[in-house]
């Protein structure tokens, strides 16, 4: 019998065909599959470069997660390869007291590089964790259609 190629199998289950690895591109800690769609990669690189220039030490903690869904039951940007999570190092806790100003700086940089409405979103899951949050982080993603609008670089 004909066995579909991995690429054909991926297309059949909705796996993006333009995923690229962030290994050796940005610091990674804990991400089981550190890939994003190709159109997202330069934005991730820019975020990490600007964060480093601002004195922030950040790591990629999550990226592509096949089949991921949101707490509202809709497909997650992680499952499309259009979302990733970043953690501060040294680590900050949930709802840090006193407030950790690094979180605000990281969110400002995320907005600056393009993760703001309508193109994308930045979610502070240090201070406002979603119900599925496993650890404190900042979540960034492109909204539906914007990754394709930017194309691949």
């Amino acid at each position: 019998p004909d066995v579909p190629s991995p690429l054909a199998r991926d297309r059949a289950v909705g796996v993006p065909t333009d995923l690229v690895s962030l290994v050796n591109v940005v610091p990674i800690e804990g991400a089981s599959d550190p890939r994003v769609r190709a159109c997202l990669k330069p934005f991730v690189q820019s975020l990490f470069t600007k964060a480093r220039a601002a004195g922030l030490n950040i790591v990629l903690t999550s990226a592509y997660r096949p089949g991921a869904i949101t707490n509202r039951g809709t497909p997650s940007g992680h499952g499309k390869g259009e979302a990733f999570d970043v953690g501060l190092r040294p680590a900050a806790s949930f709802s840090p007291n006193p407030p950790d100003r690094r979180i605000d700086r990281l969110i400002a940089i995320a907005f600056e590089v393009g993760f703001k409405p309508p193109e994308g979103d930045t979610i502070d899951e240090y201070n406002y964790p979603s119900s599925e949050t496993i650890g404190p982080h900042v979540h960034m993603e492109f909204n539906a259609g914007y990754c394709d609008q930017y194309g691949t670089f």
Side-chain angles (χ1 to χ4, degrees), residues 13-150:
V13 296
V15 174
T17 58
D18 63 342
L19 291 172
V20 295
S21 177
L22 295 174
V23 171
N24 298 321
V25 176
V26 300
I28 299 168
E29 187 177 298
S32 61
D33 190 342
R35 295 182 296 164
V36 295
R37 289 195 53 209
C39 52
L40 191 60
K41 182 179 176 182
F43 294 90
V44 175
Q45 289 174 298
S46 179
L47 174 88
F48 274 77
T49 299
K50 289 177 183 290
R52 191 171 30 256
L56 297 177
N57 183 14
I58 60 174
V59 295
L60 180 83
T61 59
S62 181
Y64 180 61
R65 295 196 314 256
I69 58 168
T70 68
N71 57 5
R72 294 180 309 278
T74 57
S76 165
H78 287 285
K80 300 174 195 170
E82 296 178 3
F84 63 101
D85 298 334
V86 171
L88 293 160
R89 298 297 179 262
S93 63
F94 284 118
S95 302
N97 187 10
D100 189 329
R101 297 293 168 220
R102 297 177 303 159
I103 298 167
D104 294 335
R105 287 199 317 250
L106 178 56
I107 290 169
I109 292 167
F111 272 56
E112 181 184 326
V113 300
F115 297 106
K116 63 181 181 205
E119 296 90 359
D121 284 311
T122 298
I123 302 170
D124 174 359
E125 297 214 40
Y126 282 99
N127 292 299
Y128 310 100
S130 66
S131 61
E132 279 90 34
T133 297
I134 294 172
H137 65 276
V138 174
H139 168 94
M140 289 158 246
E141 71 179 42
F142 273 136
N143 289 323
Y146 280 95
C147 204
D148 292 317
Q149 177 179 318
Y150 290 118

